[in-house]
Amino acid sequence: MYKDTNCGEPRESTVGSQITVAGWVHRRRDHGSLIFIDLRDRSGLLQVVFNPEYSGSAHELAGSLRSEWVVQITGKVVKRLPGAENPELPTGAVELSVTGLVILNRSLTPPFEISDDIDVDDNTRLKYRFIDLRRPRMQKLLRLRHRVTHMMWDFLTGKGFIHVETPILIKSTPEGARDYVVPSRIHPGEFYALPQSPQQLKQLLMVSGVERYFQIARCFRDEDLRADRQPEHTQLDLEMSFVHQDDVMAIVEELYTLIVDETVPGSTISRPFPRLTYAESMERFGTDKPDLRFGMELSTITETAASSDARVFQAVVSSGGTIRGFAAPGCGNYGRRDTDRLVEFAKSSGAQGLVFIAIDESAASIDALEDDHIKSPLKKFLSVDVVKRLANEMGAKPGDLMLIVAGTARLVNTVLSNLRNEMARRLELVDNKDFSFVWVYDFPLFEWDDDLDKWEPAHHVFSSPKKEHMQYLDTDPGKVLADLYDLVCNGEEMGSGSIRIHDKDIQTRVFGVIGYTEDEISERFGQLLTAFTYGAPPHGGMGLGLDRLVAVLAGERAIREVIAFPKTQSAIDPLFEAPSPITDEQLEELHIRVVMPKT
RNA sequence: GGUCCCGUGGUGUAGUGGUCUAACACGCCUCCCUGUCAAGGAGGAGAUCGUCAGUUCAAAUCUGAUCGGGAUCGCCA
């Protein structure tokens, strides 16, 4: 070993010991004859003093040290001079009085400082990710992620789960997201796909009698990126046999509570996790991933709004649309600037517009509302009576701002749920130490796709229809709810699972609703259906996003921050410069010809 | 595929038609300095303002295209 002690370890109790440390020159303070170095390794910082009276040659060499040089230093741990202690550092009571210095490697001046305080462009950070990761914050995130996966291994092992690896090269199944594909050299014109998730494989493992499976599994999707989406992400994938929905939920709830308690000191988490049906969640929050840390629930005000003289409302209703809204507490005094921004925000979510009605705080109550208390661009179309009724329906109080969106149900919900989250941010209603988990369950199995003019799986095709809804499977698929459940935390989807179909006939009927032909079914899912005919146990499980979990635990917005080597929004790795062309020889070997898009 | 924001020395920003021969902070280089810890002091180097085209007597600044980063809708679990 190049060192016998880590930089962060020396304390007053170890004063007098002779140690050797190794690490990076974090900062240099050169006083001419007296030179200070903050030496950094993964454990922290240690102040090192080069004093010519004790270390002539080392001191001379120290004059040449620069940021990020790698050095090995031998010396004696000494107590700092009285008044020279640094309470900011765990090692701040002591310092290393140097007797020997070895320069292990030199460094160019780094493109940016190794400091948490500095805000560097993402492209630069990723290009020099190996330096970016030296920053204490990034080191912390790497370790947090490790702790989380370690707890998953420990906990699930204790519950009788075994970790099984499934292949990365599998078969392309075009439903769901776009596949990443890998050409086959041995089979010209044929391709593997990278798994979007190990779904079918883990179900086969249930048929194999594994009973309790988990995997920290990499999943690949060739879709556009977001702050919370990367081309490859990691899931805690788990599956259990002989279980009902509650059994899966109980395991996950226990694990996630443990993880939050252990990794975020001072966190609050409510148990048992509250549960909402999909229908209730859509009704109250306009989304299937509600943030329960604050109120501002949505209300449907279609009839009342349409009864006003506002033609925008009437038009939307006569074309079958919906009008919904919520009250933003204390925002009744918003000026033009603020409301303009909200309108802009609503439009960026797809709204045609946003109607707001401000109620002045001087109103004694909603019942006592007078014309002077109301401010709205639609004011001349809104009688005091209508505003009163709207306020009552939306739970608005004097001083509040009512935000109203009209349009198709889907659009209204998208806009309002985004707006609700935005208002919570503006009003600072969210606390990062608060982990508000919620189970959303009873999802519909299918949803109608207007573009394709057919039923599509709402989540995935392997979820079991609820027993009492089986009767609608062929007659009214939209009515069929499934034993499908999502885990949501603070407005982010943390994972999704279901009790699976384990019966060949039911699975075939579900495929039939989506419109797969028998040939397509046997081509894509033959192996699973065949397995179902050999004694498949009832089973269910979940896929839980690891990146999102770690990001939520760390209070990070983008999962890029918790992935060691992520890609940019255009799916590029600036460090390796991937993707990249391959040689003509490689193409030939793979039987592939490239056709560039016309520009 | 759409919309929005951003792109100026190594890093982060200021500058929104002429006064820019581009400013500031940090970093970097040289020198001084024995108690600093975001050390201090003195001096210095470093930018054709992402790229291309256009408007103009004149462009970092206006316009268009393009490239790159970010956010988001669609898409995606």
Side-chain angles (χ1 to χ4, degrees), chain A residues 305-306 308 310-318 323 355 378 382 390 404 406:
Chain A
S308 73
R311 228 177 294 157
V312 273
F313 289 155
Q314 291 162 4
V316 164
V317 173
S318 61
I323 304 171
V355 173
L378 254 51
L382 299 168
L390 289 175
I404 299 166

Side-chain angles (χ1 to χ4, degrees), chain A residues 399-421:
Chain A
D400 290 359
L401 181 69
M402 292 189 271
L403 297 165
I404 299 166
V405 176
T408 62
R410 189 192 153 100
L411 184 72
V412 167
N413 281 334
T414 303
V415 174
L416 284 175
S417 60
N418 284 341
L419 202 55
R420 179 175 170 269
N421 290 336

